[in-house]
Amino acid sequence: VLKNIPEHIERLSMVGFLGGRRDHEFINFGEIHRFLKTRTKKTECDLDWAVCAFSNGRWPLKLTGFFSLVAMEDATITITGDCRYRLPNPTEVKALSSHGLSNEASGVVEITCDLPVFIFKNPFS
């Protein structure tokens, strides 16, 4: 289905991709990553209120509380703005590493990435 989404669609609200079987969720993350990697325009996927995925580009995000950034491939990332742990210089973040784990935001956080990334917002913060 994702490969049939036209290029002019830049934001998707994806219902039913989370909350079921873990194996399905994991495969969905892979499919979403692959989809975002092929996009020529900046594209955002909201999986629910706690998980978002972004194509490459610069993304100003309003975040409050804990969040984690996860890359499915080695990616070059900067994180600036109102957060506890910044990466002000382009930094290689390894695939599925803990490098983006458990940051804390209190306003606008800008993420720049050369490959798709996932943001997991902590529902308990």
Side-chain angles (χ1 to χ4, degrees), residues 3 8 24-25 32 50 76 79 83 88 92 95 106 109 111 118 121 123 125:
K3 67 182 174 188
H8 71 275
H24 287 222
E25 285 185 3
I32 292 164
T76 301
I79 303 172
C83 61
E92 183 181 48
S106 59
V109 176
I111 296 169
F118 288 81
K121 298 177 234 173
S125 57

PDB file of all heavy atoms in Angstrom, residues 3 8 24-25 32 50 76 79 83 88 92 95 106 109 111 118 121 123 125:
ATOM      1  N   LYS A   3       3.757   1.974  -1.212  1.00  0.00           N
ATOM      2  CA  LYS A   3       4.395   2.350  -2.477  1.00  0.00           C
ATOM      3  C   LYS A   3       3.426   3.029  -3.433  1.00  0.00           C
ATOM      4  O   LYS A   3       3.843   3.650  -4.396  1.00  0.00           O
ATOM      5  CB  LYS A   3       5.065   1.143  -3.133  1.00  0.00           C
ATOM      6  CG  LYS A   3       4.122   0.083  -3.604  1.00  0.00           C
ATOM      7  CD  LYS A   3       4.883  -1.089  -4.185  1.00  0.00           C
ATOM      8  CE  LYS A   3       3.921  -2.210  -4.510  1.00  0.00           C
ATOM      9  NZ  LYS A   3       4.601  -3.420  -4.884  1.00  0.00           N
ATOM     10  N   HIS A   8       2.821  13.847  -3.640  1.00  0.00           N
ATOM     11  CA  HIS A   8       2.319  15.102  -3.083  1.00  0.00           C
ATOM     12  C   HIS A   8       1.737  14.922  -1.678  1.00  0.00           C
ATOM     13  O   HIS A   8       1.532  15.903  -0.971  1.00  0.00           O
ATOM     14  CB  HIS A   8       1.292  15.749  -4.028  1.00  0.00           C
ATOM     15  CG  HIS A   8      -0.019  15.022  -4.089  1.00  0.00           C
ATOM     16  ND1 HIS A   8      -0.226  13.951  -4.927  1.00  0.00           N
ATOM     17  CD2 HIS A   8      -1.171  15.214  -3.412  1.00  0.00           C
ATOM     18  CE1 HIS A   8      -1.461  13.505  -4.768  1.00  0.00           C
ATOM     19  NE2 HIS A   8      -2.057  14.264  -3.858  1.00  0.00           N
ATOM     20  N   HIS A  24       4.449  -8.065  13.866  1.00  0.00           N
ATOM     21  CA  HIS A  24       3.825  -7.193  12.877  1.00  0.00           C
ATOM     22  C   HIS A  24       4.311  -5.754  13.047  1.00  0.00           C
ATOM     23  O   HIS A  24       4.583  -5.067  12.062  1.00  0.00           O
ATOM     24  CB  HIS A  24       2.305  -7.247  12.995  1.00  0.00           C
ATOM     25  CG  HIS A  24       1.730  -8.527  12.488  1.00  0.00           C
ATOM     26  ND1 HIS A  24       0.586  -8.581  11.729  1.00  0.00           N
ATOM     27  CD2 HIS A  24       2.133  -9.815  12.638  1.00  0.00           C
ATOM     28  CE1 HIS A  24       0.301  -9.834  11.417  1.00  0.00           C
ATOM     29  NE2 HIS A  24       1.231 -10.597  11.973  1.00  0.00           N
ATOM     30  N   GLU A  25       4.405  -5.292  14.289  1.00  0.00           N
ATOM     31  CA  GLU A  25       4.901  -3.935  14.542  1.00  0.00           C
ATOM     32  C   GLU A  25       6.312  -3.764  13.994  1.00  0.00           C
ATOM     33  O   GLU A  25       6.613  -2.761  13.339  1.00  0.00           O
ATOM     34  CB  GLU A  25       4.909  -3.630  16.041  1.00  0.00           C
ATOM     35  CG  GLU A  25       3.559  -3.359  16.625  1.00  0.00           C
ATOM     36  CD  GLU A  25       3.632  -2.953  18.090  1.00  0.00           C
ATOM     37  OE1 GLU A  25       4.753  -2.822  18.639  1.00  0.00           O
ATOM     38  OE2 GLU A  25       2.571  -2.772  18.682  1.00  0.00           O
ATOM     39  N   ILE A  32       7.772   1.102   6.849  1.00  0.00           N
ATOM     40  CA  ILE A  32       7.672   2.564   6.909  1.00  0.00           C
ATOM     41  C   ILE A  32       9.036   3.198   6.631  1.00  0.00           C
ATOM     42  O   ILE A  32       9.139   4.174   5.892  1.00  0.00           O
ATOM     43  CB  ILE A  32       7.095   3.012   8.265  1.00  0.00           C
ATOM     44  CG1 ILE A  32       5.630   2.580   8.364  1.00  0.00           C
ATOM     45  CG2 ILE A  32       7.247   4.517   8.460  1.00  0.00           C
ATOM     46  CD1 ILE A  32       5.065   2.606   9.753  1.00  0.00           C
ATOM     47  N   ALA A  50       2.121   8.451  20.118  1.00  0.00           N
ATOM     48  CA  ALA A  50       3.420   8.256  20.762  1.00  0.00           C
ATOM     49  C   ALA A  50       4.554   7.910  19.816  1.00  0.00           C
ATOM     50  O   ALA A  50       5.697   7.866  20.236  1.00  0.00           O
ATOM     51  CB  ALA A  50       3.311   7.171  21.831  1.00  0.00           C
ATOM     52  N   THR A  76      23.251  10.173   9.688  1.00  0.00           N
ATOM     53  CA  THR A  76      23.878  11.385  10.197  1.00  0.00           C
ATOM     54  C   THR A  76      22.770  12.291  10.710  1.00  0.00           C
ATOM     55  O   THR A  76      21.840  12.635   9.971  1.00  0.00           O
ATOM     56  CB  THR A  76      24.703  12.080   9.106  1.00  0.00           C
ATOM     57  OG1 THR A  76      25.690  11.155   8.649  1.00  0.00           O
ATOM     58  CG2 THR A  76      25.379  13.321   9.637  1.00  0.00           C
ATOM     59  N   ILE A  79      20.626  17.153  16.580  1.00  0.00           N
ATOM     60  CA  ILE A  79      19.500  17.427  17.474  1.00  0.00           C
ATOM     61  C   ILE A  79      19.832  18.726  18.192  1.00  0.00           C
ATOM     62  O   ILE A  79      20.846  18.813  18.885  1.00  0.00           O
ATOM     63  CB  ILE A  79      19.287  16.301  18.499  1.00  0.00           C
ATOM     64  CG1 ILE A  79      19.065  14.961  17.813  1.00  0.00           C
ATOM     65  CG2 ILE A  79      18.119  16.638  19.429  1.00  0.00           C
ATOM     66  CD1 ILE A  79      19.034  13.777  18.774  1.00  0.00           C
ATOM     67  N   CYS A  83      16.116  20.600  24.396  1.00  0.00           N
ATOM     68  CA  CYS A  83      16.219  19.237  24.888  1.00  0.00           C
ATOM     69  C   CYS A  83      17.494  19.071  25.713  1.00  0.00           C
ATOM     70  O   CYS A  83      18.417  19.886  25.610  1.00  0.00           O
ATOM     71  CB  CYS A  83      16.177  18.222  23.750  1.00  0.00           C
ATOM     72  SG  CYS A  83      17.494  18.359  22.559  1.00  0.00           S
ATOM     73  N   PRO A  88      24.720  18.977  18.354  1.00  0.00           N
ATOM     74  CA  PRO A  88      24.739  20.194  17.540  1.00  0.00           C
ATOM     75  C   PRO A  88      25.526  20.053  16.239  1.00  0.00           C
ATOM     76  O   PRO A  88      25.287  20.784  15.293  1.00  0.00           O
ATOM     77  CB  PRO A  88      25.380  21.235  18.450  1.00  0.00           C
ATOM     78  CG  PRO A  88      26.181  20.445  19.430  1.00  0.00           C
ATOM     79  CD  PRO A  88      25.473  19.136  19.593  1.00  0.00           C
ATOM     80  N   GLU A  92      27.161  10.632  13.399  1.00  0.00           N
ATOM     81  CA  GLU A  92      26.674   9.345  12.916  1.00  0.00           C
ATOM     82  C   GLU A  92      26.039   8.592  14.077  1.00  0.00           C
ATOM     83  O   GLU A  92      26.673   8.366  15.116  1.00  0.00           O
ATOM     84  CB  GLU A  92      27.801   8.508  12.321  1.00  0.00           C
ATOM     85  CG  GLU A  92      27.262   7.200  11.758  1.00  0.00           C
ATOM     86  CD  GLU A  92      28.337   6.310  11.165  1.00  0.00           C
ATOM     87  OE1 GLU A  92      29.377   6.100  11.826  1.00  0.00           O
ATOM     88  OE2 GLU A  92      28.116   5.825  10.046  1.00  0.00           O
ATOM     89  N   ALA A  95      22.660   2.253  13.426  1.00  0.00           N
ATOM     90  CA  ALA A  95      21.349   1.623  13.326  1.00  0.00           C
ATOM     91  C   ALA A  95      20.959   0.969  14.643  1.00  0.00           C
ATOM     92  O   ALA A  95      21.758   0.251  15.247  1.00  0.00           O
ATOM     93  CB  ALA A  95      21.355   0.586  12.208  1.00  0.00           C
ATOM     94  N   SER A 106      11.596  20.096  26.190  1.00  0.00           N
ATOM     95  CA  SER A 106      10.733  21.065  26.870  1.00  0.00           C
ATOM     96  C   SER A 106      10.364  22.201  25.921  1.00  0.00           C
ATOM     97  O   SER A 106      10.357  23.360  26.297  1.00  0.00           O
ATOM     98  CB  SER A 106      11.446  21.621  28.105  1.00  0.00           C
ATOM     99  OG  SER A 106      12.661  22.247  27.711  1.00  0.00           O
ATOM    100  N   VAL A 109      12.234  21.122  19.438  1.00  0.00           N
ATOM    101  CA  VAL A 109      13.468  20.378  19.183  1.00  0.00           C
ATOM    102  C   VAL A 109      13.579  20.231  17.674  1.00  0.00           C
ATOM    103  O   VAL A 109      12.614  19.845  17.014  1.00  0.00           O
ATOM    104  CB  VAL A 109      13.425  18.986  19.854  1.00  0.00           C
ATOM    105  CG1 VAL A 109      14.666  18.172  19.496  1.00  0.00           C
ATOM    106  CG2 VAL A 109      13.271  19.125  21.354  1.00  0.00           C
ATOM    107  N   ILE A 111      15.336  18.348  14.596  1.00  0.00           N
ATOM    108  CA  ILE A 111      16.082  17.160  14.205  1.00  0.00           C
ATOM    109  C   ILE A 111      16.366  17.252  12.714  1.00  0.00           C
ATOM    110  O   ILE A 111      15.457  17.507  11.920  1.00  0.00           O
ATOM    111  CB  ILE A 111      15.293  15.886  14.534  1.00  0.00           C
ATOM    112  CG1 ILE A 111      15.125  15.784  16.049  1.00  0.00           C
ATOM    113  CG2 ILE A 111      15.973  14.655  13.953  1.00  0.00           C
ATOM    114  CD1 ILE A 111      14.171  14.744  16.507  1.00  0.00           C
ATOM    115  N   PHE A 118      12.778   7.444  13.557  1.00  0.00           N
ATOM    116  CA  PHE A 118      11.555   7.278  14.342  1.00  0.00           C
ATOM    117  C   PHE A 118      11.732   8.031  15.652  1.00  0.00           C
ATOM    118  O   PHE A 118      12.807   8.012  16.250  1.00  0.00           O
ATOM    119  CB  PHE A 118      11.295   5.806  14.647  1.00  0.00           C
ATOM    120  CG  PHE A 118      10.862   5.010  13.450  1.00  0.00           C
ATOM    121  CD1 PHE A 118      11.792   4.538  12.548  1.00  0.00           C
ATOM    122  CD2 PHE A 118       9.521   4.747  13.227  1.00  0.00           C
ATOM    123  CE1 PHE A 118      11.405   3.804  11.430  1.00  0.00           C
ATOM    124  CE2 PHE A 118       9.106   4.018  12.118  1.00  0.00           C
ATOM    125  CZ  PHE A 118      10.057   3.545  11.217  1.00  0.00           C
ATOM    126  N   LYS A 121       7.742   8.866  21.758  1.00  0.00           N
ATOM    127  CA  LYS A 121       7.465   9.769  22.870  1.00  0.00           C
ATOM    128  C   LYS A 121       6.990   8.937  24.043  1.00  0.00           C
ATOM    129  O   LYS A 121       6.147   8.055  23.892  1.00  0.00           O
ATOM    130  CB  LYS A 121       6.395  10.783  22.465  1.00  0.00           C
ATOM    131  CG  LYS A 121       6.820  11.665  21.316  1.00  0.00           C
ATOM    132  CD  LYS A 121       5.688  12.579  20.921  1.00  0.00           C
ATOM    133  CE  LYS A 121       5.430  12.416  19.443  1.00  0.00           C
ATOM    134  NZ  LYS A 121       4.259  13.111  18.975  1.00  0.00           N
ATOM    135  N   PRO A 123       4.871   8.001  26.990  1.00  0.00           N
ATOM    136  CA  PRO A 123       3.535   8.390  27.461  1.00  0.00           C
ATOM    137  C   PRO A 123       3.483   8.694  28.945  1.00  0.00           C
ATOM    138  O   PRO A 123       2.495   9.233  29.423  1.00  0.00           O
ATOM    139  CB  PRO A 123       2.680   7.160  27.128  1.00  0.00           C
ATOM    140  CG  PRO A 123       3.640   6.030  27.122  1.00  0.00           C
ATOM    141  CD  PRO A 123       4.949   6.597  26.630  1.00  0.00           C
ATOM    142  N   SER A 125       5.733  10.665  30.593  1.00  0.00           N
ATOM    143  CA  SER A 125       6.470  11.867  30.979  1.00  0.00           C
ATOM    144  C   SER A 125       5.545  13.049  31.087  1.00  0.00           C
ATOM    145  O   SER A 125       4.400  13.006  30.775  1.00  0.00           O
ATOM    146  CB  SER A 125       7.582  12.151  29.986  1.00  0.00           C
ATOM    147  OG  SER A 125       7.090  12.282  28.688  1.00  0.00           O
TER     148      SER A 125
END
